[in-house]
Amino acid sequence: MDRTAQLSTRPAGREIAYDPAAAPPSVQVRAAQVLEANWTGRSTVPSRGLYPHQWSWDSAFMAIGLRHLSPLRAQTELETLLAAQWGDGRIPHIVFNPSVPLDAYFPSPDFWRSSAAGRAAGAPGTVQTSGIVQPPVHALAAWLVHLADPGLSRARGFLRRAHPRLAAWHRYLLGRRDLSGAGLVSVVHPWEQGMDNSPCWDRPLSRVAPAPARSFRRADLDHGTPEDRPTDLDYGRYVRLAADYRDGGYADGRGEFAVEDPAFNALLIASEHALARIAQELGASGREHAARAERLTAALVQRLWDPAAGMFLCRDVRAGEPIPERGVSGLIPLLLPGLPRDLVATLVRTLCGPHFGLGGTTRLVPSYDLLGAAFDAHRYWRGPAWFNTSWLLERGLRLHGERGRADALRRGILHTAGASGFAEYVDPYTARACGTTGFGWTAALALDLLHDRPSGDRNGLTAIKGGDRG
């Protein structure tokens, strides 16, 4: 029997090999147990209670961790998400599980009405999804999953089947979402950027009339304290934006909210580098993707770099001006291999300076400026530290030779993940758990950091840095 068949028929209970039992269980064992508990059979939910469906960028991070436990399951995670892709190329931010009651999460499938409202955009008719997107980290995840077991990946045709879908996803973003015409991608809803409640959105959101409170029920408050979650006013604005987008047939470029975000574009650039490597693996040239990554990096620096802030800033496309808030999003381009050296040095100083305090007042990276007027240590994306952004910045520090700082951040992530019960996010000063616990990407990225990589490729990204372009 070939290896693909063996893995496909392996009993579910034995698919993931845990470390020998310890007392107390190790972080690795407990992280693997979180992923096992959140597995649905084809994908991994972020949280059984608070987020009971499949989320787009969560699944990419989940696959990055799962590859160390079961490359087959990691591939399946991404394949399940890609199967819900729309005809226009977009990968929706939620793929709904039809067995979950409608009132378990809002906005639910009957709000988005994807198969009807999204018909002109090619929404699938066999599965219900949302109509917005999330950051494009998927090609990077696919490449890292392939590297975990190239033999299995080739035997299953994993990259050969994924590549055209990933390329179509990037074409959608670059073709439909360049709303300024300046070469960068815009998000049309705060939920698309992934850092939903960031103070960076306050100014453009202020133009949006909130939906009436009686028009929706906040299921998130059933699982978290109101002090940790977005306010009712902000949530009403999110609902209004989503409803208007839906009622416009999910056509891009018409809404009041359009923002060029540094992290969203940086992850697209990282995934373009990954697509170059994927193309080469499949025997094609990677030149087009590599050249596009270089053009996007140049546009990112030209449009969003702010020397006075010492970091990248979001840009309000509708107002035609930068948004003067320091969010963690503006540090994420540190992940990029083609960033100018002087910008790298400045980003590191900002990361470790008084606005984010890494290595001084904080062990993980806060989601917003510690000195900002809107800082809140507990409220969703308005100050708490998140594990995925700290993971991305650990990779960026390591990529650019900041080994000592990367090692310290790695230790902080691993300690805090285990001590917090794999919390969704934490107070950046005290590491107190906020949101829900047993959170999928916290466990997955802890596993990734625990895995011993070869010393020459510890950041997991050097495989897509430059290299032969075919």
Side-chain angles (χ1 to χ4, degrees):
M1 179 184 293
D2 66 25
R3 188 171 184 191
T4 305
Q6 287 176 332
L7 286 171
S8 299
T9 58
R10 183 181 297 171
R14 299 178 63 187
E15 184 176 333
I16 292 180
Y18 299 111
D19 282 350
S26 68
V27 171
Q28 182 165 343
V29 169
R30 291 187 290 128
Q33 289 170 341
V34 168
L35 294 179
E36 182 72 10
N38 291 2
W39 177 249
T40 67
R42 295 290 301 173
S43 64
T44 312
V45 299
S47 163
R48 284 287 183 179
L50 184 55
Y51 305 107
H53 302 284
Q54 182 178 26
W55 261 258
S56 173
W57 77 323
D58 292 72
S59 272
F61 289 124
M62 235 77 85
I64 289 169
L66 281 170
R67 68 194 173 118
H68 302 300
L69 301 173
S70 169
L72 176 61
R73 184 174 289 191
Q75 292 176 28
T76 301
E77 181 84 39
L78 294 174
E79 289 165 347
T80 301
L81 179 67
L82 292 174
Q85 186 173 30
W86 288 29
D88 64 2
R90 80 182 75 192
I91 296 175
H93 100 295
I94 302 175
V95 181
F96 290 106
N97 182 343
S99 67
V100 173
L102 287 178
D103 63 358
Y105 181 81
F106 180 85
S108 50
D110 57 342
F111 172 89
W112 295 103
R113 302 197 291 272
S114 60
S115 58
R119 185 179 296 113
T126 56
V127 64
Q128 293 298 306
T129 76
S130 64
I132 60 175
V133 302
Q134 276 192 322
V137 68
H138 311 90
L140 173 59
W143 178 242
L144 294 177
V145 167
H146 165 79
L147 292 179
D149 191 337
L152 174 67
S153 174
R154 291 167 186 145
R156 296 188 67 247
F158 169 63
L159 290 181
R160 190 165 299 281
R161 288 180 287 111
H163 180 266
R165 290 184 176 273
L166 294 168
W169 166 222
H170 288 199
R171 284 195 300 272
Y172 164 77
L173 292 172
L174 294 163
R176 304 287 185 88
R177 290 299 190 89
D178 181 5
L179 300 183
S180 71
L184 293 183
V185 172
S186 293
V187 295
V188 300
H189 195 291
W191 289 340
E192 291 198 313
Q193 195 271 350
M195 304 174 195
D196 308 7
N197 198 39
S198 170
C200 297
W201 318 136
D202 289 354
R203 182 176 292 192
L205 274 178
S206 68
R207 300 191 294 265
V208 179
R214 65 181 180 276
S215 67
F216 59 90
R217 187 189 78 82
R218 294 189 57 180
D220 64 315
L221 297 181
D222 295 340
H223 304 278
T225 64
E227 292 76 19
D228 288 356
R229 308 299 298 173
T231 65
D232 286 343
L233 175 61
D234 285 334
Y235 212 90
R237 286 171 167 152
Y238 303 154
V239 172
R240 171 71 70 186
L241 276 175
D244 288 349
Y245 192 42
R246 174 201 65 202
D247 295 345
Y250 297 112
D252 294 312
R254 302 176 183 174
E256 297 175 80
F257 186 97
V259 174
E260 292 171 345
D261 172 73
F264 195 100
N265 281 279
L267 290 171
L268 176 60
I269 294 166
S271 279
E272 278 292 328
H273 282 299
L275 275 183
R277 306 305 290 181
I278 290 171
Q280 292 168 354
E281 164 67 23
L282 297 175
S285 171
R287 289 193 186 95
E288 179 184 354
H289 296 299
R292 186 177 295 140
E294 291 177 1
R295 289 196 301 272
L296 285 166
T297 300
L300 180 72
V301 171
Q302 181 179 1
R303 291 278 291 176
L304 304 186
W305 177 251
D306 188 295
M311 61 188 298
F312 293 87
L313 298 180
C314 297
R315 186 175 185 84
D316 185 342
V317 174
R318 294 291 178 248
E321 61 187 17
I323 297 171
E325 301 286 355
R326 291 180 172 91
V328 68
S329 169
L331 301 172
I332 299 301
L334 188 62
L335 183 73
L336 300 177
L339 209 59
R341 289 184 181 180
D342 59 327
L343 269 63
V344 170
T346 302
L347 283 173
V348 173
R349 286 196 298 271
T350 301
L351 175 62
C352 300
H355 294 286
F356 293 91
L358 185 67
T361 56
T362 64
R363 292 187 70 181
L364 302 188
V365 186
S367 52
Y368 176 66
D369 184 359
L370 297 170
L371 305 180
F375 175 81
D376 186 324
H378 295 163
R379 197 176 292 278
Y380 206 63
W381 289 109
R382 300 183 80 83
W386 289 71
F387 292 87
N388 66 326
T389 50
S390 287
W391 180 88
L392 289 166
L393 288 167
E394 192 271 351
R395 308 293 83 178
L397 287 168
R398 201 170 298 283
L399 178 70
H400 292 291
E402 294 283 346
R403 181 174 178 177
R405 289 187 171 99
D407 286 345
L409 181 51
R410 176 184 182 274
R411 289 192 297 270
I413 293 170
L414 290 172
H415 172 79
T416 307
S420 69
F422 302 98
E424 185 179 1
Y425 48 101
V426 298
D427 181 310
Y429 291 121
T430 68
R432 185 199 113 182
C434 301
T436 189
T437 54
F439 196 69
W441 76 29
T442 303
L445 298 177
L447 279 172
D448 188 61
L449 290 174
L450 283 164
H451 187 266
D452 287 330
R453 296 187 182 90
S455 59
D457 189 20
R458 285 193 56 80
N459 65 18
L461 294 173
T462 54
I464 60 168
K465 179 180 178 181
D468 176 17
R469 295 180 183 168

